[in-house]
Amino acid sequence: MTATVLGKEAKVRFLDADFDILEQGDFVRCAVTGRPIPLKTLRYWSVERQEAYASAEIALKRHQELKAKKG
C-alpha cells in the first residue's frame, strides 16, 4: 500500500500497552522498512525508542541489532 491509499501519516507517542495520537492520521511508518502501517493494525513498537514495527520479527531483529551495537 502507498501513503496515498492510506491517507495521512499520524504522529503518535508509544506507551507500554497503547499509544496516544498526537497528530491525527491513518498510519505510521515502520522504523526499519519504511512501510506504512495502518493504525488499526499497529501491534509492535518500542516505548524506549518511540519506533513502530511492521511485524514481531522486525521488532526482534531491531532489538538484537541495537543490543549488539551497545556491546
Side-chain angles (χ1 to χ4, degrees):
M1 286 188 194
T2 65
T4 54
V5 172
L6 291 173
K8 183 182 176 198
E9 187 168 357
K11 301 290 184 206
V12 300
R13 178 177 44 195
F14 299 107
L15 308 172
D16 286 329
D18 202 1
F19 54 88
D20 286 335
I21 298 174
L22 303 175
E23 196 173 305
Q24 289 295 321
D26 304 300
F27 69 96
V28 293
R29 292 207 177 269
C30 176
V32 176
T33 67
R35 285 189 353 219
I37 308 164
L39 290 180
K40 64 184 177 190
T41 63
L42 178 61
R43 301 285 181 270
Y44 308 101
W45 61 80
S46 168
V47 173
E48 180 182 340
R49 292 183 290 277
Q50 290 296 294
E51 296 179 335
Y53 308 109
S55 70
E57 293 81 12
I58 292 171
L60 177 60
K61 182 179 176 186
R62 175 78 164 155
H63 172 75
Q64 290 171 333
E65 288 171 352
L66 292 175
K67 187 176 177 183
K69 285 183 182 181
K70 285 184 179 179

